[in-house]
Amino acid sequence: MFARAVNENETIKSALNDVILFKNDCEKGEGIEIAQKYGVRGYPTFISVNSKGEITDRWIGYEGPEAWSAVALAAAADPRLLTAKKAAYAAEPTAALARSLANDASTGYDFAGAVVFLKKARELDPANADATSRQILTYMAYGAQGGAFTFDDIEAEAKPALASGMLEPGDHVELALMLHSVASRSGDASRAAPYIAGAMKASEGSDDETVQKYRKELAVSNALVVEKDAGKAVELKRATMPDDWRESPRRLNQFAWWCFENEVNLDEALELALKGAELAGDDAERANILDTAAELCNRLGNCDEAIAHMQRAVELDPDKQYFKDQLARFQKAAEEKAKG
């Protein structure tokens, strides 16, 4: 999206008047070494450097021309090194420094640290509290995937944001999907029900294509958690998949894992996972899908099959400790089942 916008959007063009933009492919040629040097972990990552190649700012993600340009202009306005900005913040925090350091933290996937900085920025700059709150929720969404935030953490931030009326329909949908994911991992998906129902209502009738795309995913959550109709949820989930998903090992694995996570359609999920393993393009991919099959077998009570799939996964990818740990886990489950 940025690659197209940089050539078409006047806001971005204006922000780049005094900047040299250098595009780097981090997966090819010398780009790999450059990515390692600057600690690039995700795409797109933007790094502001001085004439010596020293980092003055860095941020990850593209959230539209206005948001991107605001960050780029802020980086250009303060050309101090990140190390100097950290020292300045420690001596006397400012909202601008807090946002810069939050961006830096998020680029390193330290989303918990980024949220701490943003909360300070919100405190120091109440005039822009709404925009900062939305950014906090975004970083919480990313961090929640790695367990950095609990449902209670996110809910405490979400409630005032919802009450203020500042969230757009797309924000409602993203928040509800995030809360459903976190609530599911905590073992109580029902906690997300009011947020899912609210987001379905808030996004109803939206003509935004992105909102409608993610609303289809939310409809799956709505069927599972609000309507408690597993069959409907499975059908809606199938409808969100690409036309050729049954011939793609990655897509088959995604669908099978979704069934496992939500404890629905387990028998078909196992069939699809095994098909995905057959279609896998390499040993690493095949081992990963067999792990999904093993989890499904274990959930279905087929401990011996779970062990067999994990043994095969270990054979295919012997250097991956996770697979060995999984095998030991399933072997222990089989022993306990045998004892009664």
Side-chain angles (χ1 to χ4, degrees), residues 16-48:
L16 293 175
N17 280 340
D18 299 317
V19 175
I20 298 173
L21 185 64
F22 173 75
K23 182 180 179 181
N24 177 59
D25 188 335
C26 297
E27 297 180 348
K28 292 181 181 179
E30 65 178 6
I32 298 174
E33 184 178 343
I34 293 173
Q36 292 174 341
K37 176 182 177 180
Y38 289 107
V40 175
R41 296 186 60 179
Y43 311 123
T45 291
F46 301 93
I47 301 174
S48 172

Side-chain angles (χ1 to χ4, degrees), residues 16 31 36 47 57 91 121 147 175 191 209 211 258 274 293 299 305 316:
L16 293 175
Q36 292 174 341
I47 301 174
D57 258 299
L175 176 60
R191 294 188 69 185
E209 291 183 6
V211 172
W258 175 85
L274 293 175
R299 182 68 56 83
E305 289 185 38
L316 291 168

Side-chain angles (χ1 to χ4, degrees), residues 70-85:
V71 178
L73 289 170
D78 186 351
R80 289 178 292 178
L81 300 183
L82 270 175
T83 50
K85 290 177 182 178

Side-chain angles (χ1 to χ4, degrees), residues 218-235:
L218 187 64
V220 178
S221 298
N222 189 65
L224 274 174
V225 180
V226 180
E227 298 176 349
K228 300 186 184 302
D229 188 338
K232 179 179 179 180
V234 171
E235 289 304 312

Side-chain angles (χ1 to χ4, degrees), residues 272-316:
L272 294 174
L274 293 175
K275 179 182 178 180
E278 290 178 5
L279 295 173
D282 56 50
D283 287 348
E285 182 180 41
R286 183 168 292 108
N288 190 53
I289 300 175
L290 285 172
D291 174 58
T292 298
E295 288 283 17
L296 286 160
C297 287
N298 189 59
R299 182 68 56 83
L300 288 164
N302 302 327
C303 296
D304 291 341
E305 289 185 38
I307 291 170
H309 290 317
M310 283 315 305
Q311 287 175 331
R312 180 60 177 148
V314 170
E315 291 172 3
L316 291 168

Side-chain angles (χ1 to χ4, degrees), residues 98-141:
R99 291 193 180 95
S100 176
L101 297 181
N103 288 333
D104 175 55
S106 67
T107 305
Y109 283 26
D110 177 14
F111 296 109
V115 166
V116 171
F117 284 123
L118 285 178
K119 286 184 176 181
K120 187 64 175 180
R122 183 172 59 187
E123 173 191 325
L124 295 170
D125 183 17
N128 291 301
D130 285 358
T132 307
S133 293
R134 281 194 291 272
Q135 190 64 55
I136 288 171
L137 286 169
T138 296
Y139 284 159
M140 281 188 157

Side-chain angles (χ1 to χ4, degrees), residues 186-207:
S186 73
D188 186 6
S190 65
R191 294 188 69 185
Y195 299 99
I196 294 170
M200 289 293 289
K201 183 176 181 180
S203 59
E204 187 176 9
S206 171
D207 58 3

